Amino acid sequence: MFRPPLAFLLLLMPVAARTQDVHLEKARRVLEAVPLVDGHNDLPWYIRSDFKEAPLDVEKYDLRRPTSGNTDLARLKRGMVGGQFWSVYVPGDFPDSGYARMQLEQIDIARRVIAKYPDVLQPAFTAQDIWTAHAAGRIGSLLGAEGGHVIENSLGTLRAYYDLGVRYMTITHNVTLDWADAAADSARHGGLTRFGEEVVREMNRLGMLVDLSHVSPGTMSDVLNVAEAPVIFSHSSARALVDVPRNVPDSILARLKANGGVVMVTFVPGFVSKKVADRSARRGAQLTTTQKQFPNDTAAVSRAMAQWDAANPLPKATLADVADHIDHVKKVAGIDHVGIGSDFDGTDNQLPVGLEDVSTFPALLAELSRRGWSEADLKKLAGENVLRVMTTAERVAARLRRERPPSTRTIEELDRKRAS
């Protein structure tokens, strides 16, 4: 049977389809050469809280089968993921017996997930570990703690987390700490306190990346003033495009050039789509009004808000929205300071059209290729930038460990006595 050559078949395709194929092939070529390093995946928390059939059960949440969340092994393979920071998130306002206990449980979940699939996931602690895993066809797997409340004002606890494999810590989550202001809470300190500065210095000495997602602009600025190594934003987007507290102002983006850090642009709809953010703001205002209208009647409030939701359907963010934020960070901070931080499994399955799960990373790179991004630029975005940040932080840590011992400073010594 005569089989026409592939080149002839491509000519028969519509122009748009041929163009799409070229850009997708370019994306895949990039991801074969460079590990795609995603800055934030909440799979450990999804297993803990959203897997209702068996919470915390790593064995029953089988990644070799299709899952209810955004992540499984088949989709990771299609997404050509090469490095993953698994978030070991603990809520800052969770009513429990202690943040440190929950943090240890989250670390345990993540480590058990990594150990369960050794043919696909490989523990990683350094930038070189990610390159090594990628060369072996595996996903270099690191841990990222989300929220400095988990150290419970203790530098010794911080060091213990590093020894357990944590390679970044988000300074705050949504709650302002005794030593740092959060974006979604009141700014009590104007940024970092003196103890907060000591936390940053000790993270630099360890080689633990300082993550500025979730923190206030004042905290961002203070960290950049004191940091001795590049910082990251593990899952944030551009405030100039969507004006919400969780996004990064242009003034901070401009400072990343001097620091050497990277903003890993997130996929969260309310951070990348103005339509989604505006609808959220309107809903918040409506909820306040409704609660005043029906004080102490939660059932009435729920009915009224259900009616409002039906009349005001949630808009959809798109892959193009995310690409717009990546383009903006590239424009303001520079091509060396942008990366990807999806927040998969942390959005209640509310994700942009075209970026519904971990299989979709090549589609995002293909969109940027259509916008004129070169292979060299896409390699930096996919992984080279954050791997450079890690390598630099490791080199700085090696020097600082020679220069100074582990810090024994306390919050009482630095802040509370001073305040009294």
Side-chain angles (χ1 to χ4, degrees):
M1 179 185 294
F2 172 71
R3 296 183 183 274
L6 178 60
F8 177 77
L9 292 175
L10 286 174
L11 287 174
L12 297 180
M13 296 169 60
V15 173
R18 295 203 305 271
T19 303
Q20 168 71 15
D21 185 77
V22 167
H23 292 296
L24 195 55
E25 182 59 32
K26 179 178 171 181
R28 289 171 176 155
R29 191 163 59 245
V30 165
L31 298 183
E32 287 172 354
V34 173
L36 185 143
V37 183
D38 178 25
H40 198 89
N41 184 306
D42 270 307
L43 177 65
W45 185 258
Y46 191 95
I47 293 173
R48 181 190 187 101
S49 67
D50 294 327
F51 183 40
K52 305 303 182 185
E53 293 85 351
L56 293 116
D57 195 330
V58 170
E59 294 302 314
K60 288 193 175 180
Y61 197 79
D62 188 356
L63 298 183
R64 295 197 190 279
R65 299 182 178 185
T67 64
S68 59
N70 311 134
T71 307
D72 56 47
L73 300 188
R75 286 183 285 178
L76 284 167
K77 182 177 181 179
R78 292 200 301 272
M80 302 185 73
V81 178
Q84 182 66 65
F85 280 97
W86 302 104
S87 172
V88 286
Y89 162 64
V90 173
D93 55 357
F94 203 80
D96 208 296
S97 60
Y99 296 128
R101 180 184 68 79
M102 287 189 69
Q103 183 64 91
L104 293 173
E105 290 176 351
Q106 289 299 98
I107 291 171
D108 174 66
I109 290 171
R111 288 173 52 148
R112 284 189 290 136
V113 168
I114 297 166
K116 185 179 177 182
Y117 309 102
D119 55 322
V120 179
L121 306 180
Q122 184 167 311
F125 306 95
T126 66
Q128 183 57 53
D129 289 345
I130 296 177
W131 283 108
T132 300
H134 184 252
R138 299 187 181 93
I139 299 169
S141 295
L142 309 101
L143 308 184
E146 189 173 14
H149 53 279
V150 298
I151 72 170
E152 298 189 358
N153 298 340
S154 165
L155 297 177
T157 303
L158 175 73
R159 289 188 285 271
Y161 294 150
Y162 180 85
D163 289 343
L164 288 170
V166 173
R167 287 301 178 267
Y168 76 62
M169 184 175 75
T170 319
I171 294 296
T172 73
H173 189 243
N174 288 336
V175 177
T176 287
L177 310 182
D178 291 335
W179 46 273
D181 291 333
D185 200 356
S186 58
R188 299 202 310 264
H189 313 296
L192 290 177
T193 69
R194 290 178 62 196
F195 182 73
E197 294 175 353
E198 192 70 4
V199 172
V200 172
R201 282 191 286 266
E202 188 63 9
M203 291 175 71
N204 288 162
R205 194 194 68 84
L206 288 170
M208 184 186 291
L209 299 177
V210 179
D211 176 19
L212 299 182
S213 288
H214 283 286
V215 307
S216 72
T219 300
M220 295 176 194
S221 183
D222 284 354
V223 168
L224 291 173
N225 289 340
V226 73
E228 298 165 88
V231 303
I232 65 167
F233 291 77
S234 68
H235 59 307
S236 293
S237 295
R239 194 159 185 175
L241 300 188
V242 179
D243 188 8
V244 295
R246 272 283 283 105
N247 283 344
V248 188
D250 277 2
S251 59
I252 298 296
L253 290 179
R255 292 187 63 185
L256 280 184
K257 295 177 183 179
N259 169 265
V262 60
V263 173
M264 307 180 82
V265 173
T266 191
F267 301 171
V268 179
F271 303 161
V272 298
S273 167
K274 188 176 186 302
K275 291 180 180 178
V276 175
D278 288 348
R279 193 264 190 186
S280 178
R282 291 197 309 273
R283 191 183 193 282
Q286 181 63 39
L287 177 60
T288 299
T289 299
T290 304
Q291 288 170 333
K292 291 178 180 177
Q293 184 180 0
F294 301 106
N296 304 316
D297 190 345
T298 56
V301 170
S302 295
R303 286 194 299 271
M305 291 308 299
Q307 292 174 355
W308 190 93
D309 287 337
N312 298 270
L314 184 65
K316 289 286 189 180
T318 67
L319 181 152
D321 292 327
V322 175
D324 288 345
H325 284 261
I326 293 173
D327 270 334
H328 185 84
V329 174
K330 177 188 174 187
K331 176 182 176 182
V332 178
I335 184 56
D336 295 324
H337 306 287
V338 62
I340 298 172
S342 68
D343 208 1
F344 282 133
D345 280 316
T347 68
D348 294 323
N349 284 329
Q350 298 296 317
L351 286 157
V353 175
L355 291 173
E356 293 85 358
D357 59 51
V358 295
S359 71
T360 59
F361 290 112
L364 178 58
L365 268 62
E367 168 64 16
L368 293 167
S369 175
R370 284 192 293 274
R371 296 181 180 206
W373 282 52
S374 68
E375 287 196 27
D377 287 349
L378 291 174
K379 287 178 179 179
K380 289 186 176 185
L381 170 76
E384 286 180 349
N385 286 342
V386 71
L387 291 167
R388 170 189 51 78
V389 165
M390 290 179 65
T391 300
T392 303
E394 292 160 13
R395 185 168 62 247
V396 169
R399 173 178 60 80
L400 293 178
R401 289 187 189 207
R402 293 192 299 269
E403 294 176 357
R404 63 185 189 233
S407 175
T408 57
R409 308 297 292 273
T410 66
I411 194 167
E412 289 78 14
E413 174 188 357
L414 293 174
D415 292 339
R416 289 177 179 162
K417 287 184 180 179
R418 181 172 174 240
S420 63

PDB file of all heavy atoms in Angstrom, residues 3 17 24 35 55 69 101 130 145 153 201 222-223 241 247 266 275-276 281 283 286 295 304 311-312 317-318 373 411:
ATOM      1  N   ARG A   3       2.054   4.786   0.968  1.00  0.00           N
ATOM      2  CA  ARG A   3       1.899   5.680   2.112  1.00  0.00           C
ATOM      3  C   ARG A   3       2.608   6.990   1.788  1.00  0.00           C
ATOM      4  O   ARG A   3       3.840   7.011   1.671  1.00  0.00           O
ATOM      5  CB  ARG A   3       2.498   5.073   3.378  1.00  0.00           C
ATOM      6  CG  ARG A   3       1.791   3.799   3.837  1.00  0.00           C
ATOM      7  CD  ARG A   3       2.389   3.284   5.137  1.00  0.00           C
ATOM      8  NE  ARG A   3       1.788   2.043   5.543  1.00  0.00           N
ATOM      9  CZ  ARG A   3       0.671   1.952   6.261  1.00  0.00           C
ATOM     10  NH1 ARG A   3       0.058   3.069   6.623  1.00  0.00           N
ATOM     11  NH2 ARG A   3       0.180   0.780   6.601  1.00  0.00           N
ATOM     12  N   ALA A  17      -3.338  24.360  11.640  1.00  0.00           N
ATOM     13  CA  ALA A  17      -2.962  23.092  12.264  1.00  0.00           C
ATOM     14  C   ALA A  17      -1.482  22.828  12.077  1.00  0.00           C
ATOM     15  O   ALA A  17      -0.804  22.332  12.980  1.00  0.00           O
ATOM     16  CB  ALA A  17      -3.790  21.964  11.657  1.00  0.00           C
ATOM     17  N   LEU A  24       4.131  23.189  18.889  1.00  0.00           N
ATOM     18  CA  LEU A  24       4.083  22.144  19.909  1.00  0.00           C
ATOM     19  C   LEU A  24       5.317  21.267  19.835  1.00  0.00           C
ATOM     20  O   LEU A  24       5.877  20.857  20.866  1.00  0.00           O
ATOM     21  CB  LEU A  24       2.811  21.312  19.728  1.00  0.00           C
ATOM     22  CG  LEU A  24       2.408  20.410  20.898  1.00  0.00           C
ATOM     23  CD1 LEU A  24       2.270  21.197  22.192  1.00  0.00           C
ATOM     24  CD2 LEU A  24       1.118  19.678  20.579  1.00  0.00           C
ATOM     25  N   PRO A  35      14.863  20.271  31.881  1.00  0.00           N
ATOM     26  CA  PRO A  35      13.757  19.864  32.750  1.00  0.00           C
ATOM     27  C   PRO A  35      12.797  21.011  33.015  1.00  0.00           C
ATOM     28  O   PRO A  35      13.218  22.111  33.377  1.00  0.00           O
ATOM     29  CB  PRO A  35      14.460  19.429  34.049  1.00  0.00           C
ATOM     30  CG  PRO A  35      15.801  20.080  34.012  1.00  0.00           C
ATOM     31  CD  PRO A  35      16.160  20.228  32.571  1.00  0.00           C
ATOM     32  N   PRO A  55      -8.603  10.056  53.474  1.00  0.00           N
ATOM     33  CA  PRO A  55      -7.664  11.160  53.696  1.00  0.00           C
ATOM     34  C   PRO A  55      -6.324  10.676  54.235  1.00  0.00           C
ATOM     35  O   PRO A  55      -6.271   9.767  55.057  1.00  0.00           O
ATOM     36  CB  PRO A  55      -8.392  12.020  54.735  1.00  0.00           C
ATOM     37  CG  PRO A  55      -9.837  11.681  54.575  1.00  0.00           C
ATOM     38  CD  PRO A  55      -9.876  10.236  54.186  1.00  0.00           C
ATOM     39  N   GLY A  69      -7.880  14.577  40.991  1.00  0.00           N
ATOM     40  CA  GLY A  69      -7.209  15.872  40.984  1.00  0.00           C
ATOM     41  C   GLY A  69      -6.562  16.177  39.653  1.00  0.00           C
ATOM     42  O   GLY A  69      -6.959  15.658  38.597  1.00  0.00           O
ATOM     43  N   ARG A 101       3.572  19.880  64.022  1.00  0.00           N
ATOM     44  CA  ARG A 101       3.108  18.500  63.848  1.00  0.00           C
ATOM     45  C   ARG A 101       2.496  18.311  62.465  1.00  0.00           C
ATOM     46  O   ARG A 101       2.792  17.335  61.765  1.00  0.00           O
ATOM     47  CB  ARG A 101       2.067  18.149  64.917  1.00  0.00           C
ATOM     48  CG  ARG A 101       1.543  16.713  64.771  1.00  0.00           C
ATOM     49  CD  ARG A 101       0.438  16.414  65.780  1.00  0.00           C
ATOM     50  NE  ARG A 101      -0.772  17.179  65.501  1.00  0.00           N
ATOM     51  CZ  ARG A 101      -1.659  16.865  64.562  1.00  0.00           C
ATOM     52  NH1 ARG A 101      -1.458  15.821  63.771  1.00  0.00           N
ATOM     53  NH2 ARG A 101      -2.742  17.598  64.397  1.00  0.00           N
ATOM     54  N   ILE A 130      18.196  17.551  39.975  1.00  0.00           N
ATOM     55  CA  ILE A 130      17.115  17.653  38.989  1.00  0.00           C
ATOM     56  C   ILE A 130      17.633  17.328  37.596  1.00  0.00           C
ATOM     57  O   ILE A 130      16.992  16.597  36.827  1.00  0.00           O
ATOM     58  CB  ILE A 130      16.477  19.046  39.029  1.00  0.00           C
ATOM     59  CG1 ILE A 130      15.817  19.274  40.397  1.00  0.00           C
ATOM     60  CG2 ILE A 130      15.445  19.210  37.916  1.00  0.00           C
ATOM     61  CD1 ILE A 130      15.221  20.648  40.570  1.00  0.00           C
ATOM     62  N   ALA A 145       7.943  24.228  51.686  1.00  0.00           N
ATOM     63  CA  ALA A 145       7.031  24.552  52.787  1.00  0.00           C
ATOM     64  C   ALA A 145       6.323  25.864  52.477  1.00  0.00           C
ATOM     65  O   ALA A 145       6.950  26.817  52.016  1.00  0.00           O
ATOM     66  CB  ALA A 145       7.793  24.652  54.107  1.00  0.00           C
ATOM     67  N   ASN A 153       8.394  30.199  65.200  1.00  0.00           N
ATOM     68  CA  ASN A 153       9.370  31.182  65.700  1.00  0.00           C
ATOM     69  C   ASN A 153      10.674  30.536  66.171  1.00  0.00           C
ATOM     70  O   ASN A 153      11.328  31.041  67.091  1.00  0.00           O
ATOM     71  CB  ASN A 153       8.775  32.018  66.842  1.00  0.00           C
ATOM     72  CG  ASN A 153       7.582  32.833  66.392  1.00  0.00           C
ATOM     73  OD1 ASN A 153       7.390  33.078  65.212  1.00  0.00           O
ATOM     74  ND2 ASN A 153       6.773  33.265  67.353  1.00  0.00           N
ATOM     75  N   ARG A 201      18.288  35.372  56.727  1.00  0.00           N
ATOM     76  CA  ARG A 201      19.741  35.113  56.743  1.00  0.00           C
ATOM     77  C   ARG A 201      20.039  33.645  56.997  1.00  0.00           C
ATOM     78  O   ARG A 201      20.951  33.065  56.389  1.00  0.00           O
ATOM     79  CB  ARG A 201      20.409  35.998  57.795  1.00  0.00           C
ATOM     80  CG  ARG A 201      20.609  37.441  57.354  1.00  0.00           C
ATOM     81  CD  ARG A 201      21.511  38.197  58.309  1.00  0.00           C
ATOM     82  NE  ARG A 201      20.821  38.507  59.551  1.00  0.00           N
ATOM     83  CZ  ARG A 201      20.186  39.656  59.793  1.00  0.00           C
ATOM     84  NH1 ARG A 201      20.167  40.597  58.871  1.00  0.00           N
ATOM     85  NH2 ARG A 201      19.584  39.866  60.938  1.00  0.00           N
ATOM     86  N   ASP A 222      11.631  44.223  52.001  1.00  0.00           N
ATOM     87  CA  ASP A 222      12.583  43.987  53.093  1.00  0.00           C
ATOM     88  C   ASP A 222      13.439  42.762  52.828  1.00  0.00           C
ATOM     89  O   ASP A 222      14.641  42.755  53.132  1.00  0.00           O
ATOM     90  CB  ASP A 222      11.829  43.830  54.417  1.00  0.00           C
ATOM     91  CG  ASP A 222      11.342  45.149  54.981  1.00  0.00           C
ATOM     92  OD1 ASP A 222      11.683  46.207  54.407  1.00  0.00           O
ATOM     93  OD2 ASP A 222      10.620  45.132  56.006  1.00  0.00           O
ATOM     94  N   VAL A 223      12.831  41.705  52.291  1.00  0.00           N
ATOM     95  CA  VAL A 223      13.610  40.503  51.979  1.00  0.00           C
ATOM     96  C   VAL A 223      14.678  40.823  50.939  1.00  0.00           C
ATOM     97  O   VAL A 223      15.847  40.421  51.071  1.00  0.00           O
ATOM     98  CB  VAL A 223      12.705  39.362  51.497  1.00  0.00           C
ATOM     99  CG1 VAL A 223      13.540  38.221  50.909  1.00  0.00           C
ATOM    100  CG2 VAL A 223      11.843  38.840  52.639  1.00  0.00           C
ATOM    101  N   LEU A 241      -1.309  43.506  35.668  1.00  0.00           N
ATOM    102  CA  LEU A 241      -2.365  42.955  34.828  1.00  0.00           C
ATOM    103  C   LEU A 241      -3.625  42.614  35.620  1.00  0.00           C
ATOM    104  O   LEU A 241      -4.739  42.800  35.127  1.00  0.00           O
ATOM    105  CB  LEU A 241      -1.869  41.709  34.090  1.00  0.00           C
ATOM    106  CG  LEU A 241      -0.668  41.892  33.160  1.00  0.00           C
ATOM    107  CD1 LEU A 241      -0.425  40.615  32.366  1.00  0.00           C
ATOM    108  CD2 LEU A 241      -0.860  43.076  32.227  1.00  0.00           C
ATOM    109  N   ASN A 247      -0.441  39.174  43.797  1.00  0.00           N
ATOM    110  CA  ASN A 247       0.428  39.340  42.636  1.00  0.00           C
ATOM    111  C   ASN A 247       1.578  40.300  42.928  1.00  0.00           C
ATOM    112  O   ASN A 247       1.584  41.012  43.929  1.00  0.00           O
ATOM    113  CB  ASN A 247      -0.383  39.793  41.429  1.00  0.00           C
ATOM    114  CG  ASN A 247      -1.174  38.648  40.809  1.00  0.00           C
ATOM    115  OD1 ASN A 247      -0.901  37.484  41.080  1.00  0.00           O
ATOM    116  ND2 ASN A 247      -2.157  38.981  39.994  1.00  0.00           N
ATOM    117  N   THR A 266       1.840  31.736  38.130  1.00  0.00           N
ATOM    118  CA  THR A 266       0.858  30.733  38.520  1.00  0.00           C
ATOM    119  C   THR A 266      -0.319  30.698  37.566  1.00  0.00           C
ATOM    120  O   THR A 266      -0.523  31.609  36.759  1.00  0.00           O
ATOM    121  CB  THR A 266       0.374  30.990  39.954  1.00  0.00           C
ATOM    122  OG1 THR A 266      -0.389  29.871  40.413  1.00  0.00           O
ATOM    123  CG2 THR A 266      -0.475  32.237  40.046  1.00  0.00           C
ATOM    124  N   LYS A 275     -11.291  39.439  34.686  1.00  0.00           N
ATOM    125  CA  LYS A 275     -12.713  39.142  34.767  1.00  0.00           C
ATOM    126  C   LYS A 275     -13.027  38.280  35.978  1.00  0.00           C
ATOM    127  O   LYS A 275     -14.004  38.515  36.695  1.00  0.00           O
ATOM    128  CB  LYS A 275     -13.178  38.442  33.489  1.00  0.00           C
ATOM    129  CG  LYS A 275     -13.188  39.326  32.254  1.00  0.00           C
ATOM    130  CD  LYS A 275     -13.672  38.536  31.036  1.00  0.00           C
ATOM    131  CE  LYS A 275     -13.692  39.412  29.788  1.00  0.00           C
ATOM    132  NZ  LYS A 275     -14.126  38.645  28.588  1.00  0.00           N
ATOM    133  N   VAL A 276     -12.203  37.275  36.219  1.00  0.00           N
ATOM    134  CA  VAL A 276     -12.418  36.402  37.380  1.00  0.00           C
ATOM    135  C   VAL A 276     -12.194  37.180  38.677  1.00  0.00           C
ATOM    136  O   VAL A 276     -12.982  37.064  39.626  1.00  0.00           O
ATOM    137  CB  VAL A 276     -11.491  35.179  37.312  1.00  0.00           C
ATOM    138  CG1 VAL A 276     -11.622  34.337  38.580  1.00  0.00           C
ATOM    139  CG2 VAL A 276     -11.816  34.332  36.088  1.00  0.00           C
ATOM    140  N   ALA A 281     -14.420  39.997  43.529  1.00  0.00           N
ATOM    141  CA  ALA A 281     -14.591  41.185  44.355  1.00  0.00           C
ATOM    142  C   ALA A 281     -16.071  41.552  44.503  1.00  0.00           C
ATOM    143  O   ALA A 281     -16.532  41.907  45.599  1.00  0.00           O
ATOM    144  CB  ALA A 281     -13.813  42.349  43.747  1.00  0.00           C
ATOM    145  N   ARG A 283     -18.558  39.483  44.313  1.00  0.00           N
ATOM    146  CA  ARG A 283     -19.187  38.464  45.158  1.00  0.00           C
ATOM    147  C   ARG A 283     -18.897  38.732  46.631  1.00  0.00           C
ATOM    148  O   ARG A 283     -19.762  38.546  47.494  1.00  0.00           O
ATOM    149  CB  ARG A 283     -18.713  37.063  44.775  1.00  0.00           C
ATOM    150  CG  ARG A 283     -19.537  35.969  45.430  1.00  0.00           C
ATOM    151  CD  ARG A 283     -19.034  34.578  45.123  1.00  0.00           C
ATOM    152  NE  ARG A 283     -19.991  33.566  45.509  1.00  0.00           N
ATOM    153  CZ  ARG A 283     -20.177  33.145  46.764  1.00  0.00           C
ATOM    154  NH1 ARG A 283     -19.457  33.651  47.761  1.00  0.00           N
ATOM    155  NH2 ARG A 283     -21.098  32.211  47.031  1.00  0.00           N
ATOM    156  N   GLN A 286     -21.136  41.454  47.733  1.00  0.00           N
ATOM    157  CA  GLN A 286     -22.512  40.961  47.845  1.00  0.00           C
ATOM    158  C   GLN A 286     -22.690  40.111  49.097  1.00  0.00           C
ATOM    159  O   GLN A 286     -23.723  40.189  49.779  1.00  0.00           O
ATOM    160  CB  GLN A 286     -22.869  40.149  46.605  1.00  0.00           C
ATOM    161  CG  GLN A 286     -24.296  39.611  46.594  1.00  0.00           C
ATOM    162  CD  GLN A 286     -25.327  40.719  46.578  1.00  0.00           C
ATOM    163  OE1 GLN A 286     -25.137  41.731  45.909  1.00  0.00           O
ATOM    164  NE2 GLN A 286     -26.417  40.544  47.310  1.00  0.00           N
ATOM    165  N   PRO A 295     -28.820  38.699  59.361  1.00  0.00           N
ATOM    166  CA  PRO A 295     -27.918  38.405  60.478  1.00  0.00           C
ATOM    167  C   PRO A 295     -28.347  37.129  61.208  1.00  0.00           C
ATOM    168  O   PRO A 295     -29.543  36.892  61.422  1.00  0.00           O
ATOM    169  CB  PRO A 295     -28.047  39.641  61.370  1.00  0.00           C
ATOM    170  CG  PRO A 295     -29.386  40.215  61.025  1.00  0.00           C
ATOM    171  CD  PRO A 295     -29.600  39.925  59.575  1.00  0.00           C
ATOM    172  N   ALA A 304     -29.501  33.057  49.279  1.00  0.00           N
ATOM    173  CA  ALA A 304     -29.353  34.303  48.525  1.00  0.00           C
ATOM    174  C   ALA A 304     -28.092  34.290  47.675  1.00  0.00           C
ATOM    175  O   ALA A 304     -28.097  34.740  46.520  1.00  0.00           O
ATOM    176  CB  ALA A 304     -29.342  35.495  49.486  1.00  0.00           C
ATOM    177  N   ALA A 311     -27.043  33.908  38.829  1.00  0.00           N
ATOM    178  CA  ALA A 311     -27.232  35.078  37.965  1.00  0.00           C
ATOM    179  C   ALA A 311     -25.908  35.684  37.511  1.00  0.00           C
ATOM    180  O   ALA A 311     -25.886  36.486  36.567  1.00  0.00           O
ATOM    181  CB  ALA A 311     -28.055  36.135  38.693  1.00  0.00           C
ATOM    182  N   ASN A 312     -24.814  35.302  38.163  1.00  0.00           N
ATOM    183  CA  ASN A 312     -23.490  35.862  37.858  1.00  0.00           C
ATOM    184  C   ASN A 312     -22.490  34.722  37.717  1.00  0.00           C
ATOM    185  O   ASN A 312     -21.641  34.509  38.601  1.00  0.00           O
ATOM    186  CB  ASN A 312     -23.042  36.816  38.965  1.00  0.00           C
ATOM    187  CG  ASN A 312     -23.959  38.000  39.124  1.00  0.00           C
ATOM    188  OD1 ASN A 312     -23.766  39.042  38.496  1.00  0.00           O
ATOM    189  ND2 ASN A 312     -24.970  37.867  39.986  1.00  0.00           N
ATOM    190  N   ALA A 317     -10.907  31.761  33.097  1.00  0.00           N
ATOM    191  CA  ALA A 317      -9.575  32.192  32.693  1.00  0.00           C
ATOM    192  C   ALA A 317      -9.100  31.285  31.563  1.00  0.00           C
ATOM    193  O   ALA A 317      -9.655  30.201  31.345  1.00  0.00           O
ATOM    194  CB  ALA A 317      -8.615  32.117  33.873  1.00  0.00           C
ATOM    195  N   THR A 318      -8.074  31.708  30.851  1.00  0.00           N
ATOM    196  CA  THR A 318      -7.582  30.938  29.714  1.00  0.00           C
ATOM    197  C   THR A 318      -6.060  30.807  29.756  1.00  0.00           C
ATOM    198  O   THR A 318      -5.375  31.557  30.465  1.00  0.00           O
ATOM    199  CB  THR A 318      -7.961  31.606  28.381  1.00  0.00           C
ATOM    200  OG1 THR A 318      -7.250  32.857  28.269  1.00  0.00           O
ATOM    201  CG2 THR A 318      -9.456  31.853  28.296  1.00  0.00           C
ATOM    202  N   TRP A 373       8.530  33.623  21.093  1.00  0.00           N
ATOM    203  CA  TRP A 373       9.589  33.194  22.008  1.00  0.00           C
ATOM    204  C   TRP A 373      10.518  32.208  21.289  1.00  0.00           C
ATOM    205  O   TRP A 373      10.073  31.271  20.629  1.00  0.00           O
ATOM    206  CB  TRP A 373       8.985  32.528  23.237  1.00  0.00           C
ATOM    207  CG  TRP A 373       8.416  33.491  24.248  1.00  0.00           C
ATOM    208  CD1 TRP A 373       7.526  34.493  24.010  1.00  0.00           C
ATOM    209  CD2 TRP A 373       8.699  33.507  25.651  1.00  0.00           C
ATOM    210  NE1 TRP A 373       7.230  35.148  25.183  1.00  0.00           N
ATOM    211  CE2 TRP A 373       7.931  34.561  26.202  1.00  0.00           C
ATOM    212  CE3 TRP A 373       9.493  32.750  26.487  1.00  0.00           C
ATOM    213  CZ2 TRP A 373       7.957  34.873  27.556  1.00  0.00           C
ATOM    214  CZ3 TRP A 373       9.524  33.049  27.843  1.00  0.00           C
ATOM    215  CH2 TRP A 373       8.773  34.101  28.369  1.00  0.00           C
ATOM    216  N   ILE A 411      13.206  35.221  68.739  1.00  0.00           N
ATOM    217  CA  ILE A 411      12.296  36.342  68.547  1.00  0.00           C
ATOM    218  C   ILE A 411      12.187  37.187  69.814  1.00  0.00           C
ATOM    219  O   ILE A 411      12.014  38.404  69.746  1.00  0.00           O
ATOM    220  CB  ILE A 411      10.911  35.842  68.085  1.00  0.00           C
ATOM    221  CG1 ILE A 411      10.076  37.008  67.546  1.00  0.00           C
ATOM    222  CG2 ILE A 411      10.181  35.091  69.196  1.00  0.00           C
ATOM    223  CD1 ILE A 411       8.831  36.575  66.793  1.00  0.00           C
TER     224      ILE A 411
END
